[in-house]
């Protein structure tokens, strides 16, 4: 009987020793409640740092030859020169168009001035200037049309 009492005591003692970690719950919970945001920020910073280090290590492998960078520099210079030449050509074309427009505008102004002089002279003589203006206008229109045709034929 004594052995049965001892075995029941042992069994009762074994059931009293609980192997779970429930005693840590209040301690760990309080720690995370107090420092949780700090831990989160530190873990994010570490993640970003590790990622950056991996990128830099990968880039070091690509920068192994100096001749590539010299060729790249030459290519950049060639591209810049080509771009500058293209800009110069475009500016020259624009200047030529502006000169043509200015010349055309001066011709039109000269024709208008001549027409006004003719109208003024006809008014001084007492003639009707409206008829002359319309005739001059139709004549000028015909001249403009003929010029455009000749330019179109010469240019095209």
């Amino acid at each position: 009987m004594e052995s049965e009492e001892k075995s029941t005591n042992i069994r009762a003692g074994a059931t009293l020793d609980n192997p779970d970690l429930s005693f840590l719950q209040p301690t760990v919970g309080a720690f995370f409640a107090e420092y949780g945001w700090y831990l989160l920020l530190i873990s994010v910073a570490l993640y970003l740092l590790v990622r950056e280090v991996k990128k830099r290590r990968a880039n070091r492998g690509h920068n192994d030859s100096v001749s590539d960078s010299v060729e790249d520099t030459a290519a950049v210079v060639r591209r810049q020169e080509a771009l500058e030449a293209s800009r110069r050509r475009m500016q020259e074309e624009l200047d030529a168009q502006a000169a043509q427009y200015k010349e055309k505008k001066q011709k039109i102004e000269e024709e208008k001035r001549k027409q006004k002089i003719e109208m003024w002279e006809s008014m001084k003589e007492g003639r009707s200037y409206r008829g002359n203006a319309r005739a001059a206008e139709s004549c000028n229109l015909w001249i403009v049309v003929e010029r455009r045709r000749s330019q179109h034929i010469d240019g095209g």
Side-chain angles (χ1 to χ4, degrees):
M1 291 250 196
E2 262 182 47
S3 68
E4 280 185 20
E5 281 182 22
K6 286 183 181 179
S7 66
T8 54
N9 282 340
I10 293 172
R11 284 188 205 143
T15 57
L16 291 178
D17 284 338
N18 202 357
D20 66 352
L21 301 174
S22 60
F23 67 93
L24 288 177
Q25 186 176 1
T27 310
V28 172
F31 180 78
F32 278 118
E34 187 73 26
Y35 301 108
W37 287 109
Y38 298 115
L39 289 173
L40 179 66
L41 292 175
I42 289 171
S43 62
V44 168
L46 283 175
Y47 170 75
L48 293 174
L49 181 67
V50 167
R51 207 170 84 187
E52 186 65 28
V53 168
K54 285 182 181 179
K55 280 184 187 177
R56 287 190 182 178
R57 283 187 181 170
N59 286 338
R60 283 185 189 167
H62 294 295
N63 296 333
D64 55 0
S65 91
V66 177
S67 63
D68 289 342
S69 64
V70 172
E71 290 176 11
D72 290 342
T73 305
V76 167
V77 169
R78 275 185 269 133
R79 264 188 262 127
Q80 287 177 346
E81 288 173 353
L83 185 63
E84 185 64 31
S86 172
R87 286 180 179 159
R88 259 188 264 120
R89 276 189 309 242
M90 289 172 58
Q91 186 64 43
E92 288 171 0
E93 289 175 7
L94 184 64
D95 291 342
Q97 289 176 354
Q100 287 176 352
Y101 177 76
K102 190 175 182 181
E103 186 179 312
K104 181 179 174 183
K105 191 131 178 135
Q106 285 177 347
K107 286 181 182 179
I108 290 172
E109 291 295 323
E110 183 66 25
E111 289 177 7
K112 283 183 181 179
R113 187 181 65 78
K114 285 181 183 179
Q115 194 175 29
K116 284 184 181 180
I117 290 172
E118 288 177 9
M119 287 174 31
W120 179 254
E121 288 176 354
S122 67
M123 278 180 46
K124 281 170 81 177
E125 294 175 0
R127 290 185 287 159
S128 172
Y129 64 91
R130 288 186 183 162
N132 290 341
R134 286 184 186 148
E137 202 173 289
S138 65
C139 182
N140 286 339
L141 181 62
W142 183 79
I143 291 171
V144 169
V145 168
E146 286 300 316
R147 283 184 185 166
R148 285 187 182 165
R149 282 185 189 163
S150 66
Q151 287 176 352
H152 181 65
I153 292 171
D154 293 338

